[in-house]
Amino acid sequence: MTNQKEEVVEEVEEVELEKLEEQEETTTQEEMIEEVVEVDELTLVQQELEEEKNKSIRLRADFENYKRRVQLDKEADYKYRAQTVLTDILPVLDNFERALAIQTNSEEAASLAKGVEMVYRSLLDAVAKEGLETIESEGVPFDPNFHQAVMQEKDESKESGIVLQELQKGYKLKDRILRPSMVKVNE
Amino acid sequence: MTNQKEEVVEEVEEVELEKLEEQEETTTQEEMIEEVVEVDELTLVQQELEEEKNKSIRLRADFENYKRRVQLDKEADYKYRAQTVLTDILPVLDNFERALAIQTNSEEAASLAKGVEMVYRSLLDAVAKEGLETIESEGVPFDPNFHQAVMQEKDESKESGIVLQELQKGYKLKDRILRPSMVKVNE
């Protein structure tokens, strides 16, 4: 631009031309500045739009993940919803077993015991419907995930590590152990 | 613009000026077209940005509402989590009451009955911990929200509409009725 300005001649047309050129120059410069400003604004807005879109995508992904987690939590909560009350009922089941283990001699007591056993069965049915199960122990290999060894004995006629006797019933709620069974294990 | 063009005069300077003006005119028109195009693009992008921001705001609000609803659901699920198993246990409680209502004559049966009553108490404690409560009925005014009238009687000594007798216990889980009590009401 400076070079062009130095080429100024004295002739009117030349001057005219020169003026026109100068005018053009100025306009072009202004235009460029304007363009730069506009392009800058456009770029900025486009960048902001891009960021906003990315934020939306992340937010939507977070939302979906949250929904999935909530669903899984809900299923677990539902599956084990009776865990607290069933855990509290385990001693009741123990008490039932103890009461029913007592030998009855009189007919009256035997009749009452029969009634009590029916009540016990109805309770077992109610808790079984909710997913409470006894843990298998006598005659199966000792498994620390299900059994708690409180005694050991040596029985040559049986395999080593086999549960010889169940001392207290163990219970699980579906696949979750509520209480391991207390057992006597073969050495 | 047309007016400006018609104002053209013959003087050189005027012509010069005119040329300059024409030059300016042309540039301005071109600029305007460019500007319109750019402004259009900028406006479009700005509009899109605006929409994207609004979408984000709505999405965020949806997310917050969802979280709030999930929290409330979770609290309700937690509060009434034992409802199914407790409902299944109600007949067990009835059976207990029936078994314990039997008169015992022998000492053996009385001893067994005492044991059974202890088992019953331990079951009542376990379910009470979870929020199971009996519904008050005898002596209170009949309320269809809590009581189911299965018999009526006329007792002049008592107020009309009073529950005279409870025929079967009713239960609620916290503030939710699991089973109304079956009652005899004073006419």
Side-chain angles (χ1 to χ4, degrees), chain B residues 19-67:
Chain B
K19 278 186 177 167
L20 276 169
E21 279 185 342
E22 263 196 342
Q23 181 58 38
E24 264 192 334
E25 285 294 295
T26 321
T27 314
T28 309
Q29 277 179 333
E30 277 170 2
E31 261 184 14
M32 278 179 69
I33 289 163
E34 264 184 31
E35 233 169 55
V36 165
V37 168
E38 277 175 352
V39 161
D40 264 357
E41 199 178 345
L42 185 62
T43 308
L44 282 173
V45 177
Q46 276 170 335
Q47 277 174 357
E48 210 186 330
L49 176 61
E50 207 53 42
E51 282 165 23
E52 202 60 44
K53 278 180 174 175
N54 286 337
K55 254 162 65 180
S56 266
I57 289 168
R58 281 197 302 275
L59 189 61
R60 195 161 286 118
D62 284 352
F63 198 175
E64 288 308 314
N65 284 336
Y66 184 81
K67 278 183 178 170

Side-chain angles (χ1 to χ4, degrees), chain A:
Chain A
M1 293 175 206
T2 325
N3 281 347
Q4 282 173 313
K5 278 182 186 170
E6 277 162 7
E7 277 162 22
V8 172
V9 282
E10 302 306 319
E11 284 178 70
V12 180
E13 276 117 344
E14 288 276 69
V15 169
E16 242 190 273
L17 190 70
E18 175 54 19
K19 280 185 177 169
L20 276 168
E21 278 184 342
E22 264 194 342
Q23 181 61 35
E24 263 193 334
E25 283 296 294
T26 322
T27 315
T28 308
Q29 276 179 333
E30 278 171 2
E31 261 184 15
M32 279 179 69
I33 289 162
E34 263 183 33
E35 231 167 58
V36 164
V37 167
E38 278 175 353
V39 162
D40 262 357
E41 199 178 346
L42 185 62
T43 308
L44 281 173
V45 177
Q46 277 169 335
Q47 277 174 357
E48 210 187 328
L49 176 61
E50 206 53 42
E51 282 165 22
E52 204 59 45
K53 280 181 174 175
N54 285 337
K55 254 163 65 181
S56 270
I57 290 168
R58 280 197 301 275
L59 189 60
R60 195 160 287 120
D62 283 353
F63 198 174
E64 288 308 314
N65 284 335
Y66 184 81
K67 279 183 177 170
R68 215 171 301 129
R69 213 165 48 241
V70 161
Q71 192 51 36
L72 291 175
D73 279 2
K74 219 179 156 74
E75 282 165 18
D77 283 354
Y78 184 80
K79 188 172 178 184
Y80 304 114
R81 66 194 188 280
Q83 181 167 345
T84 315
V85 68
L86 289 179
T87 305
D88 287 336
I89 285 174
L90 298 186
V92 180
L93 300 178
D94 295 338
N95 290 340
F96 256 121
E97 287 195 72
R98 265 178 230 121
L100 290 167
I102 298 165
Q103 281 288 323
T104 49
N105 300 308
S106 68
E107 208 179 305
E108 194 192 18
S111 163
L112 179 57
K114 211 179 160 188
V116 173
E117 188 160 350
M118 281 173 64
V119 180
Y120 176 50
R121 293 280 149 221
S122 68
L123 180 57
L124 282 185
D125 286 348
V127 294
K129 259 181 79 178
E130 199 55 35
L132 190 78
E133 290 171 54
T134 53
I135 291 170
E136 207 191 352
S137 42
E138 271 182 36
V140 305
F142 172 79
D143 183 340
N145 294 311
F146 301 102
H147 309 130
Q148 188 187 344
V150 288
M151 285 172 81
Q152 279 203 324
E153 232 177 56
K154 188 91 192 159
D155 183 341
E156 299 283 357
S157 73
K158 281 168 183 156
E159 257 181 275
S160 166
I162 284 286
V163 171
L164 293 174
Q165 198 192 340
E166 182 186 70
L167 305 167
Q168 188 190 51
K169 271 204 169 81
Y171 291 96
K172 55 184 179 174
L173 174 56
K174 287 149 191 177
D175 52 1
R176 196 180 271 181
I177 304 296
L178 293 190
R179 187 178 81 183
S181 39
M182 275 170 29
V183 296
K184 192 198 308 183
V185 187
N186 202 14
E187 275 181 52

Side-chain angles (χ1 to χ4, degrees), chain B residues 115-129:
Chain B
V116 172
E117 189 159 352
M118 281 173 64
V119 179
Y120 176 50
R121 294 277 149 226
S122 68
L123 181 57
L124 282 184
D125 286 349
V127 294
K129 258 181 79 179

Side-chain angles (χ1 to χ4, degrees), chain B residues 86-109:
Chain B
L86 289 178
T87 306
D88 288 336
I89 286 173
L90 298 186
V92 180
L93 300 179
D94 296 337
N95 291 340
F96 256 121
E97 287 194 73
R98 265 179 230 123
L100 291 167
I102 297 165
Q103 282 287 324
T104 49
N105 300 307
S106 67
E107 206 180 305
E108 195 191 19

